[in-house]
Amino acid sequence: MISQMKVRGLMFDPYNNAYILVLRDDDSSDMLPIWVGKAEASAISFALEGVSAPRPMTHDLMKSLLDTVDAKVISVVVTELKDNTYYAKVHLGYEDSEYSIDSRPSDAIALALRTSAPIFAREEVLRKQGADELGQWLENLKPEDFGKYDT
């Protein structure tokens, strides 16, 4: 089973000097926090805010390449959590075929936001993450801590 997720926040974690991308399933209220680097957070933030860089960023280039060859991002799926590392797949449609490409979740999500593709997470990932102490930490956050994004 998979759950459709929406980007619900992007915030800075001063303890790890990294950013946290928060995904949420509106139907079940499951949340999935993913720590990302500054460059990845910037790419995601630009897409959420509809900001265009003066020169194409990596994810803009990827979108342009896909558009040029008439390929389509069908979906992005966060597939696994192993050793505190998330894994994802980008599902592409090209001509009459579908391709599944390994990706970091941050890159997959940055691309999904640029192509309006849906974002999903496997139930196993949500269950594994939910078993951690992180859920309690997230419950103590105030709504304003999640940033202004609501996609």
Side-chain angles (χ1 to χ4, degrees), residues 74-91:
I74 299 168
S75 67
V76 163
V77 182
V78 180
T79 58
E80 192 174 2
L81 172 60
K82 185 168 70 173
D83 298 326
N84 294 322
T85 300
Y86 288 99
Y87 294 81
K89 296 274 186 188
V90 176
H91 296 276

Side-chain angles (χ1 to χ4, degrees), residues 34-102:
I34 300 174
W35 275 255
V36 300
K38 183 177 182 180
E40 294 81 3
S42 178
I44 290 166
S45 177
F46 276 27
L48 289 169
E49 295 176 9
V51 173
S52 296
R55 301 285 301 144
M57 294 176 65
T58 304
H59 304 94
D60 300 318
L61 172 63
M62 291 184 340
K63 181 186 180 307
S64 293
L65 287 168
L66 293 170
D67 289 347
T68 299
V69 299
D70 290 325
K72 178 180 166 95
V73 177
I74 299 168
S75 67
V76 163
V77 182
V78 180
T79 58
E80 192 174 2
L81 172 60
K82 185 168 70 173
D83 298 326
N84 294 322
T85 300
Y86 288 99
Y87 294 81
K89 296 274 186 188
V90 176
H91 296 276
L92 297 176
Y94 176 68
E95 294 182 343
D96 293 332
S97 299
E98 185 176 324
Y99 300 90
S100 179
I101 300 167
D102 188 32

Side-chain angles (χ1 to χ4, degrees), residues 70-144:
D70 290 325
K72 178 180 166 95
V73 177
I74 299 168
S75 67
V76 163
V77 182
V78 180
T79 58
E80 192 174 2
L81 172 60
K82 185 168 70 173
D83 298 326
N84 294 322
T85 300
Y86 288 99
Y87 294 81
K89 296 274 186 188
V90 176
H91 296 276
L92 297 176
Y94 176 68
E95 294 182 343
D96 293 332
S97 299
E98 185 176 324
Y99 300 90
S100 179
I101 300 167
D102 188 32
S103 176
R104 297 184 306 175
S106 56
D107 291 328
I109 291 166
L111 183 59
L113 291 170
R114 284 168 171 75
T115 60
S116 300
I119 302 166
F120 298 95
R122 286 197 177 152
E123 295 295 330
E124 306 85 66
V125 174
L126 295 172
R127 277 197 308 272
K128 266 189 183 178
Q129 180 282 135
D132 294 340
E133 296 172 12
L134 187 56
Q136 291 179 338
W137 178 75
L138 285 169
E139 286 177 14
N140 292 328
L141 292 175
K142 297 178 247 118
E144 58 268 18

